[in-house]
Amino acid sequence: MPCAMSPGDAIGARTPSLLRLRAHPLKIALVGNPNVGKSVVFGRLTGRYATVSNYPGTTVAITSGRALVGAEVCDVIDTPGVNALEGVLSEDERITKQLLVTGGAELVIQVADARNLRRALMLTSQIADTGLPMILVLNMSDEAHARGITIDIASLSDHLGIPVIEAVAPDGRGVAELREALPSARRARAADHARMSHADWADAGAKSFRKMSVVSRGRFQEWIGRAVRKPLTGLPILALVLYLTYLFVGVFGAQTLVGALEEGLFNGIINPAAIAAAARIPFPLIRDFLVGQYGVITMGLTYAIAIVLPVVTTFFLVFGFLEDSGYIPRLAIFSDRLFRSMGLNGKAVLPMILGLGCDTMATMTTRILGTPKERLIAITLLALGVPCSAQLATIMGILGGISVWALLLLFGVVLSQMVLVGFLAARALPGDRSDFILELPPIRLPRLRNLLTKTLIRVRWYLGEAVPLFLIGTALLFALDRVGALEQLTRVARPVVTGALGLPGESAEVFVMGFLRRDYGAAGLFRMAHDGSLSGVQSVVALTVMTLFVPCVANLLMIIKERGVRVGLAILAAVTVIALGTGSALNFALSILHVAF
Amino acid sequence: MMTSIPTPLAQLKPGTRGRVARITRDLTGRAERLAALGVTPGASITVLQTFPGIVFECDQTELAVERAVARSIFVLAE
């Protein structure tokens, strides 16, 4: 029986005996350097999916799940990657440290990249200092072998006094052995035992147990890895990636698929059928609520499913592919200088690009940044300028049909606002930025399975979270319209909307929706652009203002959770003022220059 | 050829191999953070790229750093 353990095995009181009656499930923490595959091992042990990508910082919060080990249920906890448990730590590293020191973790599975034994041992030594029993999993051993690296597992295990397991977690190799080894977890004999520094001890360990033979480095992946980081090849590749993304998301998703769903499915079949069915309902109020101008089916469901869903899906596919390839962190090399002018460093490219998926999640990812000042600036920039996938959907849906120049103008204006605000914030706010030091993950061919799982989960999340909100928003708009409040609001907003922004009066209601979620507002603009009540220039101005607004209620709540109410409200106020100001200036400039799209 | 004077990483050409001799210590904890990534005295280093950012391989880890960081890493080139 894998869980059985004879009393003679125990060394020290903290060694868990898995068969003893316990008041709560054994708490097992998965700990390791960033990007070594902790979330993959987590998925293999618990059967739950934690987002798996190929860059350091995918996991920034604790995820837990249940796993059956032998006959016993255990709590397995996936943690943010750590390079150290001592010294200067970033916010996500502190979360992991806290779990080990005071958070009740009883057993540690250290997941390591088999290639990087030296760094793994440096961490082993620090985990040993916590006194917790542990197991070392050398993951990605296939990649290590491909690089000519072999590790003497048996001797290493003897040296450390703990089980050491070779694994290729995505294929499930080594996972059964890991389950079997859990009862044999021990406190490791490490630097403290040898009276050495962590670094020296790890150095000595790597030298004695790792053999490296010289292998040719001509692999295709390494060639790509080189090409994407050199300016001469890297910048054209970046342009190509952006162009292909535009083709897939902006043309195929936002035009072909949206066209088929909106015109074919909704306007052709569902909406007429719904209207016909609703005609039998004797109450006009309910009829209007379902299929009227602000009806949940004719407006809400049509936007959510026909307009946003195809773009969100195509976007998440491309996005997942880029995440898993290891490409995104390499962009930090090119953007470091730009980000430094904004009080950040190249590392900030990660939350910024993640924001294109979802600004709320990206706000959490700012935990990987080094200082509070950097986090504040990055969170503000996310709220201000980075359009999330749902919003990209509506932007591309509207402007894709007008002209590519309109699209470029919008992104140009938004980007320059971000740089300007970042530049000013970097100088106005107290504090420092941290050094730019970033680990580049190996370039890998994404696994189709992970890509599809990840996309499916993200789409399901969109359907489960965004669609209900979308419907609530539609219902709210319907109610406001009924009680006459919409008219009042529109009248109040009219001077700004029609005057400074030069938009039709009815777009005021769109901005009301936009406060709830930017993309609903943008979806309203989509309808107006389609039925011809918005000109090309008006579309660009309206979308620019909408893009610069705070993304959604959820994002605002996340900002408040991460940085406090005061900061949250300050960001909201600043962003709203900047959005309206920029829109007015843009409208003024475009009308003076007689630009038309 | 072995030079006996450690040179800052920021001044080395792409393709240069060597070993870390020392890392300038300051109050920001830069040396500590580098150590956590495996950049410690004695570690082997290969310079991969110097523009727009500095990229080097240390042991099996590929790292991108800004120039200021590269100036505080002193390397004995081989």
Side-chain angles (χ1 to χ4, degrees), chain A residues 14 27-29 31 62 77 79 82 84-87 89 92-108 123 125-133:
Chain A
R14 298 195 71 171
K27 239 181 176 179
I28 302 174
V31 180
I62 280 168
I77 303 159
T79 65
V82 286
L85 292 168
E86 298 166 4
L89 302 179
D92 54 334
E93 288 179 316
R94 276 200 291 269
I95 292 172
T96 303
K97 180 178 183 174
Q98 203 175 18
L99 176 77
L100 296 188
V101 177
T102 56
E106 292 161 287
L107 193 154
V108 174
L123 196 58
S125 180
Q126 295 174 46
I127 298 171
D129 283 354
T130 66
L132 293 168

Side-chain angles (χ1 to χ4, degrees), chain A residues 118 147 229 435-436 440, chain B residues 30 38 40 49 60 62 66:
Chain A
R118 196 164 141 267
R147 279 199 161 205
R229 64 171 153 73
D435 288 334
F436 174 55
L440 302 177
Chain B
R30 179 181 289 170
T40 51
Q49 176 178 337
Q60 299 289 318
E62 207 173 307
E66 63 181 287

Side-chain angles (χ1 to χ4, degrees), chain A residues 5-341:
Chain A
M5 186 175 142
S6 65
D9 285 348
I11 48 162
R14 298 195 71 171
T15 306
S17 165
L18 287 172
L19 269 192
R20 198 177 297 151
L21 259 170
R22 315 175 57 86
H24 60 91
L26 182 77
K27 239 181 176 179
I28 302 174
L30 288 164
V31 180
N33 295 103
N35 212 37
V36 294
K38 292 175 290 297
S39 297
V40 185
V41 175
F42 175 81
R44 283 280 164 184
L45 283 176
T46 62
R48 282 192 54 188
Y49 182 79
T51 310
V52 174
S53 300
N54 181 19
Y55 58 83
T58 307
T59 309
V60 290
I62 280 168
T63 318
S64 68
R66 288 275 159 96
L68 205 60
V69 178
E72 187 164 359
V73 176
C74 304
D75 264 340
V76 181
I77 303 159
D78 191 18
T79 65
V82 286
N83 283 314
L85 292 168
E86 298 166 4
V88 191
L89 302 179
S90 62
E91 208 152 328
D92 54 334
E93 288 179 316
R94 276 200 291 269
I95 292 172
T96 303
K97 180 178 183 174
Q98 203 175 18
L99 176 77
L100 296 188
V101 177
T102 56
E106 292 161 287
L107 193 154
V108 174
I109 298 175
Q110 187 195 347
V111 183
D113 178 346
R115 293 178 308 156
N116 240 321
L117 187 63
R118 196 164 141 267
R119 276 177 65 194
L121 290 176
M122 213 130 68
L123 196 58
T124 308
S125 180
Q126 295 174 46
I127 298 171
D129 283 354
T130 66
L132 293 168
M134 64 182 293
I135 289 175
L136 177 60
V137 176
L138 297 175
N139 195 17
M140 307 194 239
S141 51
D142 53 341
E143 286 188 4
H145 290 311
R147 279 199 161 205
I149 295 168
T150 43
I151 293 165
D152 184 348
I153 301 286
S155 311
L156 179 61
S157 174
D158 281 347
H159 178 68
L160 299 172
I162 60 171
V164 178
I165 291 154
E166 264 191 307
V168 184
D171 299 338
R173 265 155 62 193
V175 177
E177 291 87 333
L178 169 61
R179 281 176 197 273
E180 271 171 41
L182 279 174
S184 327
R186 295 285 180 279
R187 182 178 172 176
R189 281 193 298 268
D192 187 44
H193 185 84
R195 294 178 202 292
M196 293 166 91
S197 75
H198 294 309
D200 290 345
W201 177 81
D203 235 6
K207 281 200 183 95
S208 3
F209 303 107
R210 177 173 65 177
K211 285 201 171 50
M212 291 195 271
S213 54
V214 182
V215 288
S216 70
R217 289 291 184 79
R219 292 197 310 142
F220 181 62
Q221 268 103 320
E222 278 166 20
W223 180 82
I224 300 232
R226 247 194 324 274
V228 296
R229 64 171 153 73
K230 302 233 161 160
L232 228 54
T233 42
L235 292 175
I237 290 175
L238 175 60
L240 186 70
V241 166
L242 289 176
Y243 181 64
L244 291 178
T245 306
Y246 170 75
L247 280 188
F248 190 64
V249 181
V251 178
F252 174 68
Q255 286 163 42
T256 315
L257 288 182
V258 168
L261 282 173
E262 202 207 3
E263 293 307 320
L265 187 64
F266 273 86
N267 291 351
I269 303 170
I270 295 184
N271 289 345
I275 290 169
R280 298 182 191 187
I281 299 174
F283 308 103
L285 187 72
I286 295 182
R287 210 158 53 216
D288 275 3
F289 177 70
L290 290 176
V291 296
Q293 192 192 351
Y294 302 110
V296 288
I297 295 175
T298 42
M299 178 174 163
L301 210 59
T302 309
Y303 289 164
I305 304 294
I307 296 168
V308 181
L309 184 65
V311 183
V312 169
T313 310
T314 46
F315 179 80
F316 281 149
L317 274 173
V318 174
F319 191 64
F321 185 89
L322 292 177
E323 273 188 330
D324 290 6
S325 68
Y327 179 60
I328 296 173
R330 284 171 169 77
L331 294 176
I333 302 169
F334 294 108
S335 54
D336 179 46
R337 200 171 289 254
L338 178 68
F339 278 118
R340 270 192 272 158
S341 72

